[in-house]
Amino acid sequence: MFDKVLIANRGEIALRIHRACREMGISTVAVHSTADSEAMHVRLADETVCIGPPEASKSYLNIPAIISAAEVAGADAIHPGYGFLSENARFASIVEEHGITFIGPKSEHIRAMGDKVLAKTTMQKLGVPVVPGSDGTVDTVEDAHAVAMDTGFPVLIKASAGGGGRGMKAAETSADLDQAFRTARAEARAAFGDDSVYIEKFVAAPRHIEVQIMADSHGNVVHLGERDCSLQRRHQKILEESPSPRLPAEERDEIGRRVTSAMRTLGYRGAGTVEFLYSSGAFYFIEMNTRLQVEHPVTEMVTGIDIVEQQIRVAAGEALGYRQDDIRFAGHAIECRINAEDPRNFTPAPGTITDYHPPGGLGVRVDSGAYAGYCVPPYYDSLIAKLVVHGVTREECLMRLKRSLDEFVIGGIQTTIPLHQALANDDDFVTGDYNIHWLEEFMGR
Ligand code: ADP
């Protein structure tokens, strides 16, 4: 096992990784920008190294600074968290070239899944259901028409290099196709310097359901069930739950089997999430994230498995200590992302937290680096806390969620707590009757 792990991230996830290391007897090295010198993970880490100014491009994305910090501190491994360098295949290779272990998948798998067209064709070959559409990229308007005729309208034109919903355009009918095709290409070129696009059938009113997997380097692969992340705004997840309120157990088993079999064939290692749109009982693969996800705690709450600890063990070469049959899904968990934002329009609201009182009690977990007197810097993601609650049933979980949100005090800045309170009291949410468009409609009411 490693003696010392460098955490190449910040905020709640850096603290989350620090906690796992501590419980495993591993010392931690926190790297931080000058804006984060008072951050909780920096205060708690065994060693700290300042790697640059506030701008992420000069600190948390600064590969030479992070590698030097690891060498100076003598770290055996680097955990990248999520965001920043976590899905950068080049970073993963550079880390390994320096004789340091990258706590994540092999760089070839990060690279393959980072290319959306390659990811889709790879998954399809491995027996994972994908959205019907073009076979690879589409280069001309004529080809676009031919594909759309096959799949039927409406269709989506998507950037191969895509991310964050950029370079994605819908065409309702063949009359819209020329314009949508040109706009998607132009947007893709501007955003990614690569104008290759592909076409998919537009799946109407789906849910977003993702499967968490864990694999070791000895050929063992398990899935840890699904998360329903349909509550999104502009493709940003706001609240996640496990299990999905609308997925029958047999369908979970079936998609879990397909995904684990695909990952076994691929020789994947580490934690990963395979994301699907789910509509009328069918799954359609959209992308795979080759890293830890923000919403991993809901899976931990229902399985009792510490995903970060497992990532570290697998990276150190250990075998998973359990098989699929050993995994038990118990109860229901919901995570609310609490952001330093105006809850009506999501405008960032950085500033100093004057009062801080997190909820507690049975089945309540708060992952956060916030404290009274902490100043939320304006330079990064506005996530400041994740409230995760567990209950024996979804009903119990919802009651616990409501009372926990009512207890949560974060003073001095605006947060999205009031939005979550409104959601927890909404009939459609309570019955589980929602899809990926529902939250934006709810906000517009
Ligand atoms: P990006 O990598 O740009 O975030 P994704 O492929 O993950 O793009 O898609 C982002 C979101 O766009 C999905 O969560 C879903 O809401 C919507 N979407 C993507 N593909 C389709 C599709 N074929 N039909 C309907 N909606 C889709």
Side-chain angles (χ1 to χ4, degrees), residues 74-142:
D76 319 300
I78 296 183
H79 195 308
Y82 54 66
F84 296 126
L85 296 167
S86 61
E87 287 180 296
N88 184 318
R90 198 170 71 86
F91 177 62
S93 314
I94 294 174
V95 170
E96 298 276 339
E97 280 158 20
H98 283 77
I100 301 166
T101 303
F102 179 76
I103 301 177
K106 299 170 194 160
S107 59
E108 70 201 71
H109 292 145
I110 302 177
R111 195 170 288 114
M113 293 301 153
D115 175 330
K116 301 190 76 171
V117 172
L118 182 57
K120 194 173 166 184
T121 48
T122 306
M123 287 298 201
Q124 188 169 20
K125 275 191 211 134
L126 295 170
V128 173
V130 302
V131 191
S134 59
D135 198 8
T137 56
V138 175
D139 301 328
T140 66
V141 175
E142 292 72 36

Side-chain angles (χ1 to χ4, degrees), residues 269-336:
R269 179 195 68 204
T273 300
V274 184
E275 298 192 335
F276 294 95
L277 297 177
Y278 175 75
S279 175
S280 310
F283 278 95
Y284 303 100
F285 168 78
I286 46 172
E287 69 174 338
M288 175 164 185
N289 291 317
T290 52
R291 57 169 166 83
L292 186 65
Q293 305 249 126
V294 176
E295 60 273 22
H296 75 278
V298 289
T299 302
E300 297 185 323
M301 298 292 264
V302 295
T303 59
I305 290 173
D306 180 332
I307 295 175
V308 179
E309 177 194 338
Q310 295 298 304
Q311 285 188 297
I312 297 170
R313 292 198 181 284
V314 160
E318 288 187 19
L320 293 179
Y322 43 82
R323 295 175 185 281
Q324 192 66 51
D325 288 348
D326 300 323
I327 294 163
R328 296 275 168 270
F329 300 103
H332 197 95
I334 297 181
E335 172 183 278
C336 293

Side-chain angles (χ1 to χ4, degrees), residues 21 36 104 174 316 338 348 365 371:
C21 290
D36 278 337
S174 94
I338 297 171
R365 163 176 172 181
Y371 55 87

Side-chain angles (χ1 to χ4, degrees), residues 116 156 158 163-165 168 200-203 235 277 287 436:
K116 301 190 76 171
L156 262 190
K158 299 171 77 170
M168 200 187 296
E200 275 183 356
K201 186 171 175 54
F202 184 82
V203 182
H235 307 311
L277 297 177
E287 69 174 338
I436 59 169

Side-chain angles (χ1 to χ4, degrees), residues 142-223:
E142 292 72 36
D143 290 349
H145 278 280
V147 173
M149 283 305 163
D150 264 7
T151 56
F153 283 95
V155 293
L156 262 190
I157 298 136
K158 299 171 77 170
S160 308
R166 284 171 304 173
M168 200 187 296
K169 282 280 162 283
E172 290 291 330
T173 66
S174 94
D176 307 328
L177 191 57
D178 294 20
Q179 173 73 29
F181 185 77
R182 287 198 188 93
T183 314
R185 284 190 85 136
E187 257 188 48
R189 192 179 315 119
F192 312 109
D194 171 1
D195 66 358
S196 48
V197 295
Y198 62 108
I199 294 183
E200 275 183 356
K201 186 171 175 54
F202 184 82
V203 182
R207 299 182 79 101
H208 172 117
I209 295 184
E210 57 187 34
V211 179
Q212 173 72 54
I213 65 117
M214 182 60 70
D216 64 21
S217 46
H218 307 274
N220 302 303
V221 186
V222 296
H223 73 83

